[in-house]
Amino acid sequence: MTSHLFCSDTMQIPAALQKGFPVIRPVPISELSATVKSIVWLHLNSRQTIAQQLAPVKQHAPQSLIVVMSDIPNDLEALAAFSMLAKAYCNTHAGLEVLLNIASVVEQGGIWIGESIMQKLLGGSSVEEPQLDRALGKWSKLLTGRELEVAKAIAIGLSNKEIALKMHITERTVKAHVGAVLDKLQLKNRLQLALLVKEG
């Protein structure tokens, strides 16, 4: 049976999580075990990046299945979490049914993506299959060097501001590059682009 651990430096275990998994216990990241396979419910804090928070969990407990919990969920944060190999991303105050569903999917080796993110990934996309095949097969050749750099930065969850700082360009230029990339690859949004980049 998979054990459930809760890592947070700011709060008690959420009531719904405690109800769904009565034996869940709070554990400092430094005390996670490398030998025990468990679901680690990681409550994000706003003082560090997702990478800074997930890296030590992966270091101390490489076999753990990480569920990222955010007080104010957003698509870019979700993207960053999945790029760091989190198995799920959800609202800290998600209901019992959602939490049980997440645990079930993750325990079976799946990745749980929330409905709102899934809607943005799939909803309203009018990409035709031949166009998508072309993009999947040769997408990187369709982009300029700068556009490819922006696409890769999006895939690791960087915001426009962070990309601008990294590439020493303005946010306006980043937006122009993002628009051009989405247009050339005939994709609807950053999440689709990130998945495309990650699939190679």
Side-chain angles (χ1 to χ4, degrees), residues 114-135:
E115 192 176 330
S116 66
I117 296 168
M118 187 62 81
Q119 288 294 335
K120 288 189 173 79
L121 268 173
L122 305 174
S125 176
S126 59
V127 178
E128 294 174 18
E129 273 190 48
Q131 297 168 332
L132 191 56
D133 288 342
R134 188 181 73 229

Side-chain angles (χ1 to χ4, degrees), residues 101-178:
N101 188 13
I102 290 171
S104 174
V105 169
V106 168
E107 277 186 275
Q108 292 173 43
I111 294 176
W112 189 90
I113 298 176
E115 192 176 330
S116 66
I117 296 168
M118 187 62 81
Q119 288 294 335
K120 288 189 173 79
L121 268 173
L122 305 174
S125 176
S126 59
V127 178
E128 294 174 18
E129 273 190 48
Q131 297 168 332
L132 191 56
D133 288 342
R134 188 181 73 229
L136 283 168
K138 303 172 182 174
W139 69 268
S140 60
K141 295 185 178 96
L142 300 174
L143 307 181
T144 67
R146 287 303 242 182
E147 288 167 353
L148 185 56
E149 205 176 333
V150 168
K152 287 178 178 176
I154 287 171
I156 60 169
L158 297 185
S159 66
N160 284 358
K161 186 175 185 178
E162 289 168 324
I163 296 170
L165 288 169
K166 181 182 178 191
M167 294 178 62
H168 307 291
I169 56 179
T170 66
E171 278 187 71
R172 187 174 174 181
T173 304
V174 173
K175 283 180 185 173
H177 283 317
V178 172

Side-chain angles (χ1 to χ4, degrees), residues 19 31 35 44 54 65 68 97 103 105 107-108:
K19 186 175 181 183
E31 292 180 21
T35 56
L44 295 179
L54 264 71
L65 305 168
V68 175
E97 193 176 322
V105 169
E107 277 186 275
Q108 292 173 43

